[in-house]
């Protein structure tokens, strides 16, 4: 009896531990989802603010906002393209490492542009604008090179796979169209002997048929039933890309 109680107690503890583990995992996953949502919302607000400043504020402030927006948009697009491609192509791991190094320079430049937005000496900031513009263009150009290279690689793989698939389909189509005529010829030769053997018996029945043998009929005669009847469209098979045939209501 004590052993049974101990076993039930152990099972209860295991169930409690499993429930706690599942609860902790669910809470962590929910927290990560909330953090991602908050980060996405913050990025959206910042991008909208920078876009508005670039359009409404002339001079140094508008130029800094445009540089930050261009930098952030290019880096984010490259990051998404590389991470998406790395899930299917392991060779992009090195490209991700290079992007991480480039991202460090991008964060440094974005922080510097953000500090200069609050700088009261606009003349000094205006003097540094050419150098800041050049740094931004260099970073965005490198990011775009990585992004378009990853996209071209994925498209080339898709084209190669499509070409190989087309060749296989052509081979299969050729194999399906290549049928042999030997079975038909063999059946004709085999039936020739049987026709010759049964020719004498068929002559007697042909004589009794009279003129009906020489007359061809293009349709049923009298009450005869036609050999081939039209298919009912309602009984024909339908496919996913075909519409179902309409059925008329009978009153």
């Amino acid at each position: 009896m004590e052993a049974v109680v101990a076993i039930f107690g152990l099972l209860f503890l295991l169930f409690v531990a499993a429930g706690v583990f599942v609860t902790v995992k669910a809470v962590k996953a929910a927290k990560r989802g909330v953090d991602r949502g908050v980060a996405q919302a913050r990025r959206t607000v910042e991008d909208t603010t920078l876009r508005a400043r670039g359009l409404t504020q002339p001079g140094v402030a508008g130029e800094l906002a445009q540089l930050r927006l261009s930098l952030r948009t290019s880096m984010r697009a490259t990051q998404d393209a590389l991470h998406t491609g790395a899930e299917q192509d392991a060779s992009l791991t090195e490209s991700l490492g290079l992007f991480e190094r480039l991202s460090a320079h991008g964060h440094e430049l974005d922080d510097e542009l953000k500090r200069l937005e609050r700088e009261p000496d606009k003349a000094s900031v205006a003097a540094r604008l050419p150098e800041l513009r050049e740094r931004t263009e260099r970073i965005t150009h490198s990011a775009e090179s990585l992004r378009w290279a990853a996209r071209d690689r994925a498209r080339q793989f898709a084209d190669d796979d499509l070409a190989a698939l087309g060749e296989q389909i052509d081979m299969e189509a050729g194999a399906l169209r290549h049928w042999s005529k030997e079975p038909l010829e063999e059946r004709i030769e085999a039936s020739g002997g049987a026709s010759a053997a049964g020719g004498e018996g068929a002559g007697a029945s042909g004589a009794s048929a009279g003129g009906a043998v020489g007359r061809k009929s293009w349709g049923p005669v009298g009450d005869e039933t036609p050999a081939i009847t039209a298919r009912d469209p309602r009984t024909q098979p339908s496919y996913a890309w075909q519409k179902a045939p309409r059925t008329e209501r009978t009153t």
Side-chain angles (χ1 to χ4, degrees):
M1 186 64 181
E2 294 179 356
V4 174
V5 173
I7 292 174
F8 276 107
L10 181 60
L11 291 176
F12 177 75
L13 292 177
L14 290 176
F15 283 137
V16 171
V20 172
F21 177 77
V22 171
T23 303
V24 171
K25 294 289 288 184
V27 170
K28 289 183 178 179
K31 185 177 182 299
R32 287 194 298 268
V34 171
D35 292 340
R36 286 194 298 268
V38 172
Q40 180 65 28
R42 184 182 298 111
R43 287 195 298 267
T44 303
V45 172
E46 291 179 356
D47 292 346
T48 304
T49 303
L50 291 175
R51 189 174 291 107
R53 288 178 181 175
L55 295 175
T56 59
Q57 295 183 0
V60 177
E63 182 71 18
L64 293 175
Q66 291 179 1
L67 291 178
R68 288 191 62 195
L69 182 62
S70 175
L71 176 66
R72 292 161 62 92
T73 303
S74 179
M75 297 296 288
R76 188 178 301 119
T78 304
Q79 180 179 357
D80 294 340
L82 291 179
H83 280 284
T84 301
E87 296 177 357
Q88 301 176 355
D89 188 0
S91 60
L92 291 179
T93 305
E94 184 176 356
S95 298
L96 282 173
L98 294 175
F99 175 75
E100 293 299 330
R101 294 173 56 186
L102 181 65
S103 181
H105 292 278
H107 285 300
E108 181 180 357
L109 177 59
D110 185 69
D111 293 339
E112 185 175 357
L113 292 173
K114 191 175 182 179
R115 287 194 301 269
L116 291 176
E117 288 178 346
R118 299 187 297 268
E119 176 63 38
D121 189 0
K122 300 301 181 183
S124 299
V125 176
R128 293 194 54 189
L129 276 179
E131 182 264 334
L132 295 172
R133 191 182 300 110
E134 181 184 0
R135 287 176 59 189
T136 303
E137 291 177 355
R138 290 175 59 185
I139 294 175
T140 55
H141 176 73
S142 298
E144 290 173 358
S145 298
L146 285 175
R147 182 171 71 251
W148 285 108
R151 290 176 177 174
D152 292 342
R153 181 181 179 84
R155 186 175 62 254
Q156 184 63 38
F157 282 164
D159 293 341
D160 293 343
D161 183 69
L162 182 59
L165 179 60
E167 293 178 358
Q168 294 177 3
I169 291 176
D170 292 340
M171 293 176 60
E172 181 65 18
L176 291 175
R177 292 191 180 96
H178 183 70
W179 53 79
S180 177
K181 297 182 179 180
E182 294 181 358
L184 178 60
E185 297 175 355
E186 293 177 357
R187 288 197 298 271
I188 293 175
E189 293 177 358
S191 62
S195 299
E200 297 178 357
S205 60
S208 62
V213 176
R215 185 176 67 251
K216 294 183 179 180
S217 175
W218 297 100
V221 179
D223 296 335
E224 292 182 6
T225 304
I228 301 176
T229 58
R231 290 186 178 180
D232 188 351
R234 293 172 296 180
T235 62
Q236 294 181 2
S238 60
Y239 301 92
W241 56 85
Q242 292 179 341
K243 294 183 179 180
R246 295 183 178 178
T247 56
E248 296 181 357
R249 295 184 178 179
T250 56
T251 56

